[in-house]
Amino acid sequence: MTQTQHDRLLIIDFGSQVTQLIARRLRELNVYCEIHPFNLVTEAFLAEFAPKAVILSGGPASVFDEGAPRPPAKVFELGVPVLGICYGQQVMMHMLGGHVERGHGTAEFGRAYVTPSEDRIDLLKGWFLDTREQVWMSHGDHVSKIAPGFAVYGTSPNAPFAITADLERRFYAVQFHPEVHHTPNGRTLYENFVRDAGFTGDWTMEAYREEAIRKIREQVGDKKVICALSGGVDSSVAAILLHEAIGDQLTCVFVDHGLLRLNEATEVVTMFREHYNLPLIHADESELFLGKLDGVSDPETKRKIIGGLFIDVFQKYANGIEGAEFLAQGTLYPDVIESVSFSGGPSVTIKSHHNVGGLPEKMGLKLVEPLRELFKDEVRALGRELGLPDSFIGRHPFPGPGLAIRCPGEITREKLEILRKADAVYIDQIRKHGLYDEIWQAFVAILPVRTVGVMGDGRTYDFACALRAVTSVDGMTADYYPFSHDFLGETATRIINEVKGINRVTYDVTSKPPGTIEWE
Ligand code: XMP
């Protein structure tokens, strides 16, 4: 649990796929909240956390299951507002004296419309302007009798108790999911709930900056910190924040593996050394990485080689920094949340991910993670607060193994050179057409085939490349971006004219799944 000075809302997680979205909606409303799995929320935990309001999430269980998940009864004795969502609503009714009925195979899933009762409550301010409100349902069991003290404030054809409340105790229960996109007015409902609970919206990045700096100083004292700076948003924001807090006690190591984009190393080094005056070691180890990758074409082998070397190299430079006791990492809140997993069992490894996990123990370092409480868009807001230029903040994600996984087959310096140039033209095109911010990630992959073409009066025999552009919210699933034919044609012409070594351009229209975003 994190100690902050802010009013805190507790989300008790029962394993819904969309619990994180509840936290997102609340953070957008400048409300500080944390998600904790139901089995870790004890009475002692509640006392320490001291929430100003509680939300019970949805989840796949049934209150009839043996050992069905429950919040501690104490939640209902805290005297703070409680909102139960879907399973959270059912478990609330079950515990407070209502009745839940088994679904018997009649699940309600998808879009539904809720209409209001005569009485309008504050929770629904801004709702039903259009007489009915679209919501998203996803449940098997349903409430058949509401608990004493509750009244009905909204119904849908299949959910007579779609919205209920006990106004006296400020308990609210909804059968649908207000946090998802398909409940278009869901944010208003959360807003009404937190305003009723007395939240003032004190969670802003301006306030967070001060607080984070104070906490870093407390944690680190006069000791030294090292940070692996990649130039991505997370590590950049973490580094700048730390530098603001502890100045030259921080040293950053930027490992250049020779697999970066055009001018990337120079841009990162110039920005952090000159603009931020941050002590930075530019570890140019491209010879080492490219040497070890010579002749390797298997994707997993490439990833393992790069991951292993990265750790060795980082360690080598870090060992040279006398007295370093801490390692800074740009870990974000989604990596920290201990969500409940009902699926069980390890998931299949699709790709080995490149990171510095395991390093702190190996090197006997303690961790500093100043972004642990933040979602990605909060990190961006903090970056803006710290003066990072938009060109850095809005950058598309770039994978740790870099261009190696955009170069299927053997990696050669010639191919990397061609790839860098083609990628730069493609991104320039996207920016010129004002599409960069609509796209989650765009890049070129150079294919391990040469094809025949004709330029001027001559025959060419050059590489083919594939353009990739996807939209996504989290990189877990993705759709290909629907460029216009004009855009694609113009871009292909520019790449072929401006990049020697490419004579054919294709566009990758695979979504994820079944594809992945990167080619390897
Ligand atoms: P895939 O290709 O698995 O990628 O659909 C999903 C997202 O993750 C990025 N990616 C990586 N990021 N280290 C990283 O830091 C890696 O090893 C790595 N592999 C893929 C990818 O660019 C996309 O945004």
Side-chain angles (χ1 to χ4, degrees), residues 303 351-354 397 399-401 405 440-441 475 512 516-518:
R303 282 176 172 273
K351 297 175 181 182
S352 328
H353 258 229
H354 159 101
I405 58 174
W440 162 268
Q441 208 169 355
K512 173 183 180 175
T516 53
I517 296 176
E518 303 289 347

Side-chain angles (χ1 to χ4, degrees), residues 364-417:
L365 295 171
K366 287 171 268 184
L367 274 180
V368 196
E369 297 176 307
L371 312 180
R372 266 180 85 82
E373 291 150 36
L374 308 185
F375 283 98
K376 189 85 176 182
D377 48 339
E378 292 176 314
V379 173
R380 293 202 175 105
L382 181 60
R384 263 180 226 114
E385 188 64 40
L386 292 164
L388 256 182
D390 276 342
S391 55
F392 249 76
I393 288 169
R395 267 168 139 206
H396 291 171
F398 186 65
L403 300 183
I405 58 174
R406 296 176 179 178
C407 190
E410 287 185 25
I411 301 165
T412 65
R413 283 163 209 266
E414 182 205 8
K415 281 200 219 163
L416 287 175
E417 209 45 37

